Coordinates of all heavy atoms in Angstrom, one line a residue:
K1 N -5.6 -16.1 2.0 CA -4.8 -15.1 1.4 C -5.5 -14.6 0.1 O -5.3 -13.4 -0.2 CB -3.4 -15.7 1.1 CG -2.5 -15.8 2.3 CD -1.2 -16.3 1.9 CE -0.3 -16.4 3.1 NZ 1.1 -16.7 2.8
L2 N -6.1 -15.4 -0.6 CA -6.8 -15.0 -1.8 C -7.9 -14.0 -1.5 O -8.0 -13.0 -2.3 CB -7.4 -16.2 -2.5 CG -8.0 -16.0 -3.9 CD1 -7.0 -15.3 -4.9 CD2 -8.6 -17.2 -4.5
D3 N -8.6 -14.2 -0.4 CA -9.7 -13.2 0.0 C -9.0 -11.9 0.2 O -9.6 -10.8 -0.1 CB -10.4 -13.7 1.2 CG -11.4 -14.8 0.9 OD1 -11.7 -15.0 -0.3 OD2 -11.7 -15.6 1.8
T4 N -7.9 -11.9 0.9 CA -7.2 -10.6 1.2 C -6.7 -9.9 -0.1 O -6.9 -8.7 -0.3 CB -6.0 -10.9 2.1 OG1 -6.4 -11.5 3.3 CG2 -5.2 -9.6 2.4
V5 N -6.1 -10.7 -1.0 CA -5.7 -10.1 -2.3 C -6.9 -9.5 -3.1 O -6.9 -8.4 -3.6 CB -5.0 -11.1 -3.2 CG1 -4.7 -10.6 -4.6 CG2 -3.7 -11.5 -2.5
N6 N -8.0 -10.3 -3.1 CA -9.3 -9.8 -3.7 C -9.7 -8.5 -3.0 O -10.2 -7.6 -3.7 CB -10.4 -10.8 -3.7 CG -10.1 -11.9 -4.7 OD1 -9.5 -11.7 -5.7 ND2 -10.6 -13.1 -4.4
S7 N -9.6 -8.4 -1.7 CA -10.0 -7.2 -1.0 C -9.1 -6.0 -1.4 O -9.6 -4.9 -1.7 CB -10.0 -7.4 0.5 OG -10.9 -8.3 0.9
I8 N -7.8 -6.2 -1.4 CA -6.9 -5.2 -1.8 C -7.2 -4.7 -3.2 O -7.2 -3.5 -3.5 CB -5.4 -5.7 -1.7 CG1 -5.0 -5.9 -0.3 CG2 -4.5 -4.7 -2.4 CD1 -3.7 -6.6 0.0
I9 N -7.4 -5.6 -4.2 CA -7.7 -5.3 -5.6 C -9.0 -4.5 -5.6 O -9.1 -3.5 -6.3 CB -7.8 -6.6 -6.4 CG1 -6.4 -7.1 -6.6 CG2 -8.4 -6.3 -7.8 CD1 -6.3 -8.5 -7.2
R10 N -10.1 -5.0 -4.9 CA -11.4 -4.3 -5.0 C -11.3 -2.9 -4.5 O -11.8 -1.9 -5.1 CB -12.4 -5.1 -4.2 CG -13.8 -4.6 -4.2 CD -14.8 -5.5 -3.5 NE -14.3 -6.2 -2.3 CZ -14.1 -5.6 -1.1 NH1 -14.4 -4.4 -0.9 NH2 -13.6 -6.3 -0.1
V11 N -10.7 -2.7 -3.3 CA -10.6 -1.4 -2.7 C -9.7 -0.5 -3.5 O -9.9 0.7 -3.6 CB -10.1 -1.5 -1.2 CG1 -10.0 -0.2 -0.6 CG2 -11.1 -2.4 -0.4
S12 N -8.6 -1.1 -4.1 CA -7.7 -0.3 -4.9 C -8.4 0.2 -6.2 O -8.2 1.4 -6.6 CB -6.5 -1.1 -5.3 OG -5.7 -1.4 -4.2
K13 N -9.3 -0.6 -6.7 CA -10.0 -0.2 -7.9 C -11.0 0.9 -7.5 O -11.1 1.9 -8.3 CB -10.8 -1.4 -8.5 CG -10.0 -2.3 -9.3 CD -10.8 -3.4 -9.9 CE -9.9 -4.3 -10.8 NZ -10.7 -5.4 -11.3
S14 N -11.7 0.8 -6.4 CA -12.7 1.8 -6.0 C -12.0 3.2 -5.6 O -12.6 4.2 -5.7 CB -13.6 1.4 -4.9 OG -12.8 1.2 -3.7
N15 N -10.7 3.1 -5.3 CA -9.9 4.3 -4.9 C -9.0 4.8 -6.1 O -8.2 5.6 -5.9 CB -9.1 4.1 -3.7 CG -9.9 4.2 -2.4 OD1 -10.3 5.3 -2.0 ND2 -10.2 3.0 -1.8
E16 N -9.2 4.1 -7.2 CA -8.5 4.5 -8.5 C -7.0 4.4 -8.4 O -6.3 5.3 -9.0 CB -9.0 5.9 -8.9 CG -10.5 5.9 -9.2 CD -11.0 7.3 -9.4 OE1 -10.3 8.3 -9.3 OE2 -12.2 7.4 -9.8
I17 N -6.4 3.5 -7.7 CA -5.0 3.3 -7.7 C -4.6 1.9 -8.2 O -3.4 1.6 -8.3 CB -4.4 3.5 -6.3 CG1 -4.9 2.5 -5.3 CG2 -4.6 5.0 -5.8 CD1 -4.2 2.5 -3.9
Y18 N -5.6 1.1 -8.5 CA -5.3 -0.3 -9.0 C -4.4 -0.3 -10.2 O -3.5 -1.2 -10.2 CB -6.7 -1.0 -9.3 CG -6.5 -2.3 -10.0 CD1 -6.1 -3.4 -9.2 CD2 -6.6 -2.5 -11.3 CE1 -5.9 -4.7 -9.7 CE2 -6.4 -3.8 -11.9 CZ -6.0 -4.8 -11.1 OH -5.8 -6.1 -11.6
D19 N -4.5 0.5 -11.1 CA -3.7 0.5 -12.3 C -2.2 0.8 -12.0 O -1.4 0.6 -12.9 CB -4.2 1.5 -13.4 CG -5.6 1.1 -13.9 OD1 -5.9 -0.1 -13.9 OD2 -6.3 1.9 -14.4
M20 N -1.9 1.4 -10.9 CA -0.6 1.7 -10.5 C 0.2 0.6 -9.9 O 1.4 0.5 -9.8 CB -0.6 2.9 -9.5 CG -1.2 4.2 -10.1 SD -1.6 5.4 -8.8 CE 0.0 5.8 -8.2
I21 N -0.6 -0.5 -9.4 CA 0.0 -1.6 -8.7 C 0.7 -2.5 -9.7 O 0.1 -2.9 -10.7 CB -1.1 -2.4 -7.9 CG1 -1.6 -1.5 -6.8 CG2 -0.5 -3.7 -7.3 CD1 -2.8 -2.1 -6.1
T22 N 1.9 -2.9 -9.4 CA 2.6 -3.9 -10.3 C 2.7 -5.3 -9.6 O 2.8 -6.2 -10.3 CB 4.1 -3.4 -10.6 OG1 4.7 -2.9 -9.4 CG2 4.0 -2.3 -11.6
S23 N 2.7 -5.3 -8.3 CA 2.6 -6.6 -7.6 C 2.2 -6.5 -6.2 O 2.2 -5.5 -5.6 CB 4.0 -7.3 -7.7 OG 4.9 -6.6 -6.8
I24 N 1.6 -7.6 -5.7 CA 1.2 -7.7 -4.3 C 1.9 -9.0 -3.7 O 1.7 -10.1 -4.2 CB -0.3 -7.9 -4.2 CG1 -1.0 -6.7 -4.8 CG2 -0.8 -8.0 -2.7 CD1 -2.6 -6.9 -4.9
D25 N 2.7 -8.7 -2.7 CA 3.4 -9.8 -2.0 C 2.6 -10.3 -0.8 O 2.4 -9.5 0.1 CB 4.8 -9.3 -1.6 CG 5.7 -10.4 -1.0 OD1 5.1 -11.5 -0.6 OD2 6.9 -10.1 -0.8
I26 N 2.2 -11.6 -0.9 CA 1.4 -12.2 0.2 C 2.1 -13.2 1.0 O 1.6 -14.0 1.7 CB 0.1 -12.8 -0.4 CG1 0.4 -13.9 -1.4 CG2 -0.8 -11.7 -1.0 CD1 -0.8 -14.7 -1.8
T27 N 3.5 -13.2 0.9 CA 4.3 -14.2 1.5 C 4.1 -14.2 3.0 O 4.0 -15.3 3.7 CB 5.8 -13.9 1.3 OG1 6.0 -13.8 -0.1 CG2 6.7 -15.1 1.8
N28 N 3.9 -13.0 3.6 CA 3.8 -12.9 5.1 C 2.4 -12.4 5.4 O 2.0 -11.3 5.0 CB 4.9 -11.9 5.6 CG 4.8 -11.8 7.1 OD1 3.9 -12.2 7.8 ND2 5.9 -11.1 7.6
D29 N 1.6 -13.2 6.1 CA 0.2 -12.7 6.5 C 0.2 -11.5 7.4 O -0.8 -10.8 7.4 CB -0.5 -13.8 7.3 CG -0.8 -15.0 6.5 OD1 -0.8 -14.9 5.2 OD2 -1.2 -16.1 7.1
E30 N 1.3 -11.2 8.0 CA 1.3 -10.0 8.9 C 1.8 -8.8 8.2 O 1.9 -7.7 8.8 CB 2.2 -10.3 10.1 CG 1.7 -11.5 11.0 CD 0.3 -11.2 11.6 OE1 0.1 -10.1 12.1 OE2 -0.5 -12.2 11.5
E31 N 2.3 -8.9 7.0 CA 2.9 -7.8 6.3 C 2.7 -7.9 4.7 O 3.6 -8.4 4.0 CB 4.4 -7.7 6.6 CG 5.1 -6.5 6.0 CD 4.6 -5.2 6.7 OE1 5.0 -5.0 7.9 OE2 3.8 -4.5 6.1
Y32 N 1.5 -7.5 4.3 CA 1.3 -7.5 2.9 C 2.0 -6.3 2.3 O 2.0 -5.2 2.8 CB -0.2 -7.4 2.6 CG -1.0 -8.7 3.0 CD1 -1.6 -8.8 4.2 CD2 -1.0 -9.7 2.1 CE1 -2.2 -10.0 4.5 CE2 -1.7 -10.9 2.4 CZ -2.3 -11.0 3.6 OH -2.9 -12.2 3.9
K33 N 2.7 -6.6 1.1 CA 3.5 -5.6 0.5 C 3.0 -5.3 -0.9 O 2.7 -6.3 -1.7 CB 4.9 -6.0 0.5 CG 5.9 -5.0 0.0 CD 7.4 -5.5 0.3 CE 7.8 -6.6 -0.5 NZ 9.3 -6.9 -0.4
V34 N 2.8 -4.1 -1.3 CA 2.3 -3.7 -2.6 C 3.4 -2.9 -3.3 O 3.9 -1.9 -2.7 CB 1.0 -2.9 -2.5 CG1 0.5 -2.5 -3.9 CG2 -0.1 -3.6 -1.7
E35 N 3.7 -3.3 -4.5 CA 4.8 -2.6 -5.3 C 4.1 -1.6 -6.3 O 3.1 -2.0 -7.0 CB 5.6 -3.6 -6.0 CG 6.4 -4.5 -5.1 CD 7.7 -3.8 -4.6 OE1 8.2 -2.8 -5.2 OE2 8.2 -4.3 -3.6
F36 N 4.7 -0.5 -6.5 CA 4.3 0.5 -7.5 C 5.6 0.9 -8.2 O 6.2 1.9 -8.0 CB 3.7 1.8 -6.8 CG 2.5 1.5 -6.0 CD1 2.6 1.2 -4.6 CD2 1.2 1.6 -6.5 CE1 1.5 1.0 -3.9 CE2 0.1 1.3 -5.8 CZ 0.2 1.0 -4.4
K37 N 6.0 0.0 -9.2 CA 7.3 0.2 -9.9 C 7.3 1.5 -10.7 O 8.3 2.2 -10.7 CB 7.5 -1.0 -10.8 CG 7.7 -2.3 -10.1 CD 9.1 -2.8 -10.2 CE 9.3 -4.2 -9.7 NZ 9.9 -4.2 -8.4
G38 N 6.2 1.9 -11.3 CA 6.1 3.1 -12.1 C 6.3 4.3 -11.2 O 6.8 5.4 -11.7
E39 N 5.9 4.2 -9.9 CA 6.0 5.3 -9.0 C 7.3 5.2 -8.2 O 7.7 6.2 -7.5 CB 4.9 5.3 -8.0 CG 3.5 5.6 -8.6 CD 3.3 7.0 -9.0 OE1 3.6 7.9 -8.2 OE2 2.8 7.3 -10.1
G40 N 8.0 4.1 -8.3 CA 9.2 3.9 -7.5 C 8.9 3.8 -6.0 O 9.7 4.2 -5.2
K41 N 7.8 3.2 -5.7 CA 7.3 3.1 -4.3 C 7.0 1.6 -3.9 O 6.5 0.9 -4.7 CB 6.2 4.0 -4.0 CG 6.5 5.5 -4.1 CD 5.2 6.3 -3.8 CE 5.5 7.8 -3.9 NZ 5.8 8.2 -5.3
T42 N 7.2 1.3 -2.6 CA 6.7 0.1 -2.0 C 5.9 0.5 -0.8 O 6.3 1.3 0.0 CB 7.9 -0.8 -1.6 OG1 8.7 -1.1 -2.7 CG2 7.4 -2.1 -1.0
A43 N 4.7 -0.2 -0.7 CA 3.8 0.1 0.5 C 3.7 -1.2 1.3 O 3.5 -2.3 0.8 CB 2.4 0.5 0.0
Y44 N 3.9 -1.0 2.6 CA 3.8 -2.0 3.6 C 2.5 -1.8 4.3 O 2.3 -0.9 5.1 CB 5.0 -2.0 4.6 CG 6.3 -2.2 3.9 CD1 7.0 -1.1 3.5 CD2 6.8 -3.5 3.6 CE1 8.2 -1.3 2.8 CE2 8.0 -3.6 3.0 CZ 8.7 -2.5 2.6 OH 9.9 -2.7 1.9
L45 N 1.5 -2.7 4.1 CA 0.2 -2.6 4.6 C -0.1 -3.2 5.9 O -1.1 -3.0 6.5 CB -0.9 -3.1 3.6 CG -0.9 -2.5 2.2 CD1 -1.9 -3.2 1.3 CD2 -1.2 -1.0 2.3
G46 N 0.8 -4.0 6.4 CA 0.6 -4.8 7.6 C -0.3 -5.9 7.3 O -0.3 -6.5 6.2
D47 N -1.2 -6.3 8.3 CA -2.1 -7.4 8.0 C -3.3 -6.9 7.3 O -3.4 -5.7 6.8 CB -2.5 -8.0 9.3 CG -3.2 -7.1 10.3 OD1 -3.7 -6.0 9.9 OD2 -3.2 -7.4 11.5
A48 N -4.3 -7.7 7.1 CA -5.5 -7.4 6.3 C -6.6 -6.6 7.0 O -7.6 -6.3 6.4 CB -6.1 -8.6 5.7
S49 N -6.4 -6.3 8.3 CA -7.4 -5.6 9.1 C -7.5 -4.1 8.5 O -6.6 -3.5 8.1 CB -7.1 -5.6 10.5 OG -5.9 -4.9 10.8
N50 N -8.7 -3.6 8.6 CA -9.0 -2.2 8.2 C -8.5 -1.9 6.8 O -7.9 -0.8 6.6 CB -8.4 -1.2 9.2 CG -9.0 -1.4 10.6 OD1 -10.2 -1.6 10.7 ND2 -8.1 -1.5 11.5
I51 N -8.6 -2.8 5.8 CA -8.0 -2.7 4.5 C -8.5 -1.4 3.8 O -7.8 -0.8 3.1 CB -8.1 -4.0 3.7 CG1 -7.1 -3.9 2.5 CG2 -9.6 -4.1 3.2 CD1 -5.7 -4.0 2.9
N52 N -9.8 -1.1 4.0 CA -10.3 0.1 3.4 C -9.6 1.4 3.9 O -9.2 2.2 3.1 CB -11.8 0.3 3.7 CG -12.7 -0.8 3.0 OD1 -12.3 -1.2 1.9 ND2 -13.8 -1.2 3.6
D53 N -9.4 1.5 5.2 CA -8.6 2.6 5.7 C -7.2 2.7 5.2 O -6.7 3.7 4.9 CB -8.7 2.6 7.3 CG -10.0 2.8 7.8 OD1 -10.9 3.3 7.2 OD2 -10.3 2.3 9.0
R54 N -6.6 1.5 5.2 CA -5.2 1.4 4.8 C -5.0 1.9 3.3 O -4.1 2.6 3.0 CB -4.7 0.0 4.9 CG -4.5 -0.4 6.4 CD -4.1 -1.9 6.5 NE -4.3 -2.4 7.8 CZ -3.4 -2.2 8.8 NH1 -2.3 -1.6 8.6 NH2 -3.7 -2.7 10.0
I55 N -5.9 1.4 2.4 CA -5.9 1.8 1.0 C -6.2 3.3 0.8 O -5.5 4.0 0.0 CB -6.8 0.9 0.2 CG1 -6.4 -0.5 0.2 CG2 -6.8 1.4 -1.3 CD1 -5.0 -0.9 -0.4
L56 N -7.1 3.8 1.6 CA -7.4 5.3 1.5 C -6.2 6.1 1.9 O -5.8 7.1 1.3 CB -8.6 5.6 2.4 CG -9.2 7.0 2.3 CD1 -9.6 7.2 0.9 CD2 -10.3 7.2 3.3
L57 N -5.5 5.7 3.0 CA -4.3 6.4 3.4 C -3.2 6.2 2.4 O -2.4 7.2 2.1 CB -3.8 5.8 4.8 CG -4.6 6.2 6.0 CD1 -4.3 5.3 7.2 CD2 -4.4 7.6 6.4
L58 N -3.1 5.0 1.8 CA -2.1 4.8 0.7 C -2.3 5.7 -0.4 O -1.4 6.3 -0.9 CB -2.2 3.3 0.3 CG -1.4 2.9 -0.9 CD1 0.1 3.1 -0.6 CD2 -1.6 1.4 -1.2
K59 N -3.6 5.9 -0.8 CA -3.9 6.8 -2.0 C -3.5 8.2 -1.6 O -2.9 8.9 -2.5 CB -5.4 6.7 -2.3 CG -5.8 7.7 -3.4 CD -7.3 7.6 -3.6 CE -7.7 8.6 -4.8 NZ -9.1 8.5 -5.0
E60 N -3.8 8.7 -0.4 CA -3.4 10.0 0.0 C -1.9 10.2 -0.1 O -1.4 11.3 -0.6 CB -3.9 10.3 1.4 CG -5.4 10.5 1.5 CD -5.8 10.7 2.9 OE1 -5.0 11.1 3.8 OE2 -7.0 10.5 3.2
I61 N -1.1 9.3 0.4 CA 0.3 9.4 0.4 C 0.9 9.3 -1.0 O 1.8 10.1 -1.4 CB 1.0 8.3 1.3 CG1 0.6 8.6 2.7 CG2 2.5 8.3 1.1 CD1 1.0 7.5 3.7
L62 N 0.3 8.4 -1.9 CA 0.7 8.4 -3.3 C 0.6 9.7 -4.0 O 1.4 10.1 -4.7 CB 0.0 7.3 -4.0 CG 0.4 5.8 -3.7 CD1 -0.6 4.9 -4.3 CD2 1.8 5.5 -4.3
L63 N -0.5 10.4 -3.7 CA -0.8 11.7 -4.3 C 0.2 12.7 -3.8 O 0.7 13.5 -4.5 CB -2.2 12.1 -4.1 CG -3.3 11.3 -4.9 CD1 -4.7 11.7 -4.5 CD2 -3.1 11.5 -6.4
K64 N 0.3 12.7 -2.5 CA 1.2 13.7 -1.8 C 2.6 13.6 -2.2 O 3.3 14.6 -2.4 CB 1.0 13.6 -0.3 CG 1.8 14.6 0.5 CD 1.6 14.4 2.0 CE 2.5 15.4 2.7 NZ 2.5 15.1 4.2
E65 N 3.1 12.4 -2.4 CA 4.5 12.1 -2.6 C 4.8 11.8 -4.1 O 5.8 11.2 -4.4 CB 5.0 11.0 -1.7 CG 4.9 11.2 -0.3 CD 5.8 12.4 0.2 OE1 6.8 12.7 -0.5 OE2 5.5 13.0 1.3
K66 N 3.9 12.2 -5.0 CA 4.1 12.0 -6.4 C 5.4 12.5 -6.9 O 5.8 13.6 -6.5 CB 3.0 12.7 -7.2 CG 3.0 12.4 -8.7 CD 1.6 11.8 -9.1 CE 1.6 11.5 -10.5 NZ 1.8 10.1 -10.8
G67 N 6.2 11.7 -7.6 CA 7.5 12.1 -8.1 C 8.6 11.7 -7.1 O 9.8 11.8 -7.5
N68 N 8.3 11.3 -5.9 CA 9.3 10.9 -4.9 C 9.3 9.4 -4.8 O 8.3 8.8 -4.6 CB 9.0 11.5 -3.5 CG 9.1 13.0 -3.6 OD1 9.9 13.6 -4.2 ND2 8.2 13.7 -2.8
Q69 N 10.5 8.8 -4.8 CA 10.6 7.4 -4.7 C 10.8 7.1 -3.2 O 11.4 7.9 -2.5 CB 11.8 6.8 -5.5 CG 11.6 6.9 -7.0 CD 12.7 6.2 -7.7 OE1 13.6 5.7 -7.1 NE2 12.7 6.3 -9.0
G70 N 10.3 5.9 -2.8 CA 10.5 5.5 -1.4 C 9.6 4.5 -0.9 O 9.0 3.7 -1.7
E71 N 9.4 4.4 0.4 CA 8.6 3.4 1.0 C 7.4 4.0 1.9 O 7.7 5.0 2.5 CB 9.4 2.5 2.0 CG 10.5 1.8 1.2 CD 11.5 1.0 2.2 OE1 12.0 1.7 3.2 OE2 11.6 -0.2 2.0
I72 N 6.3 3.4 1.8 CA 5.1 3.9 2.5 C 4.8 2.8 3.6 O 4.6 1.6 3.3 CB 3.9 4.0 1.6 CG1 4.3 5.0 0.5 CG2 2.7 4.5 2.4 CD1 3.3 5.0 -0.7
F73 N 4.7 3.3 4.8 CA 4.4 2.4 5.9 C 3.0 2.6 6.5 O 2.8 3.7 7.1 CB 5.5 2.5 7.0 CG 6.9 2.1 6.6 CD1 7.7 3.0 6.0 CD2 7.3 0.8 6.7 CE1 9.0 2.6 5.6 CE2 8.5 0.4 6.3 CZ 9.4 1.3 5.7
I74 N 2.2 1.6 6.3 CA 0.8 1.7 6.8 C 0.5 0.5 7.7 O -0.6 0.2 7.9 CB -0.2 1.8 5.6 CG1 0.2 2.9 4.7 CG2 -1.6 2.1 6.1 CD1 -0.6 3.1 3.4
N75 N 1.6 -0.2 8.1 CA 1.4 -1.4 8.9 C 0.9 -1.0 10.3 O 0.3 -1.9 11.0 CB 2.6 -2.2 8.9 CG 3.9 -1.4 9.0 OD1 3.9 -0.2 9.1 ND2 5.0 -2.1 8.9
D76 N 1.1 0.2 10.8 CA 0.6 0.6 12.1 C -0.3 1.9 11.8 O 0.3 2.9 11.5 CB 1.7 0.9 13.0 CG 1.3 1.4 14.4 OD1 0.0 1.7 14.6 OD2 2.1 1.6 15.3
L77 N -1.6 1.7 11.9 CA -2.5 2.9 11.5 C -2.3 4.1 12.4 O -2.7 5.2 12.1 CB -3.9 2.4 11.6 CG -4.3 1.5 10.4 CD1 -5.8 1.0 10.6 CD2 -4.2 2.2 9.1
N78 N -1.6 3.9 13.6 CA -1.3 5.1 14.4 C 0.0 5.8 14.1 O 0.3 6.8 14.6 CB -1.3 4.6 15.9 CG -2.6 4.1 16.4 OD1 -3.7 4.7 16.1 ND2 -2.6 2.9 17.0
K79 N 0.7 5.2 13.2 CA 2.0 5.7 12.8 C 2.3 5.5 11.3 O 3.1 4.7 10.9 CB 3.1 5.1 13.6 CG 4.5 5.7 13.5 CD 5.5 5.0 14.4 CE 6.9 5.6 14.1 NZ 7.9 4.9 14.8
V80 N 1.6 6.2 10.5 CA 1.7 6.1 9.0 C 2.7 7.1 8.5 O 2.6 8.3 8.9 CB 0.3 6.3 8.4 CG1 0.4 6.3 6.9 CG2 -0.7 5.3 8.9
F81 N 3.6 6.7 7.7 CA 4.6 7.6 7.2 C 5.2 7.2 5.8 O 5.1 6.0 5.5 CB 5.7 7.9 8.2 CG 6.5 6.7 8.5 CD1 7.8 6.5 7.9 CD2 6.1 5.8 9.5 CE1 8.6 5.4 8.2 CE2 6.9 4.7 9.8 CZ 8.1 4.5 9.2
F82 N 5.8 8.1 5.2 CA 6.6 7.9 3.9 C 8.0 8.1 4.2 O 8.4 9.2 4.8 CB 6.0 8.8 2.8 CG 6.8 8.8 1.6 CD1 6.6 7.7 0.7 CD2 7.7 9.8 1.2 CE1 7.4 7.6 -0.5 CE2 8.5 9.7 0.0 CZ 8.3 8.6 -0.8
R83 N 8.9 7.2 3.7 CA 10.3 7.4 3.9 C 10.9 7.5 2.5 O 10.9 6.5 1.7 CB 10.9 6.2 4.6 CG 12.5 6.4 4.8 CD 13.1 5.4 5.7 NE 12.8 4.0 5.3 CZ 12.8 3.0 6.1 NH1 13.1 3.1 7.3 NH2 12.6 1.8 5.6
E84 N 11.4 8.7 2.1 CA 12.0 8.9 0.8 C 13.3 8.1 0.6 O 14.1 8.0 1.5 CB 12.2 10.4 0.6 CG 12.5 10.8 -0.8 CD 12.4 12.2 -1.1 OE1 12.1 13.0 -0.2 OE2 12.7 12.6 -2.2
K85 N 13.4 7.6 -0.6 CA 14.7 6.9 -1.0 C 15.8 7.9 -1.1 O 15.6 9.0 -1.7 CB 14.4 6.1 -2.3 CG 15.6 5.3 -2.7 CD 15.3 4.5 -4.0 CE 16.4 3.7 -4.4 NZ 16.1 3.0 -5.7
V86 N 16.9 7.6 -0.6 CA 18.1 8.5 -0.7 C 19.2 7.9 -1.5 O 19.3 6.8 -1.8 CB 18.7 8.9 0.7 CG1 17.8 9.8 1.4 CG2 19.0 7.6 1.5

């Protein structure tokens, strides 16, 4: 799990979103969760596979949905979406 967290941190830094992260939940190996309290968003990354692709998609959605609170689902790379909080 530590290797996965280090990977998430490293890739987040290289994609310039690391400073936005407030916490990384590693409780479930199949569903890593990243909190962005300042943005009002939670991202569900799924497992640690393709972490570079997942973080790149995460960055795109964070930029596109700036100002909107909600959840980002990247746990299935074939079905990535943002669900706005109502």
Side-chain angles (χ1 to χ4, degrees):
K1 288 186 178 185
L2 184 58
D3 288 338
T4 301
V5 171
N6 285 333
S7 293
I8 292 170
I9 290 170
R10 182 178 34 79
V11 176
S12 295
K13 283 182 178 179
S14 68
N15 281 286
E16 301 172 351
I17 63 168
Y18 174 74
D19 292 337
M20 299 165 63
I21 295 173
T22 46
S23 69
I24 300 171
D25 183 346
I26 59 170
T27 308
N28 182 348
D29 288 348
E30 300 298 314
E31 188 66 73
Y32 289 95
K33 186 167 71 170
V34 181
E35 295 279 340
F36 300 90
K37 296 248 189 255
E39 295 286 315
K41 294 180 178 68
T42 302
Y44 299 92
L45 300 180
D47 60 22
S49 65
N50 301 313
I51 197 67
N52 290 330
D53 294 338
R54 292 176 194 275
I55 297 295
L56 190 59
L57 289 165
L58 175 58
K59 180 182 179 180
E60 288 177 19
I61 294 171
L62 285 170
L63 291 172
K64 181 180 176 191
E65 298 297 338
K66 186 123 181 99
N68 297 322
Q69 293 186 1
E71 299 173 307
I72 302 167
F73 295 89
I74 309 175
N75 39 4
D76 179 353
L77 287 174
N78 296 315
K79 188 179 176 188
V80 175
F81 64 97
F82 174 76
R83 181 171 58 202
E84 191 169 357
K85 184 178 179 180
V86 287

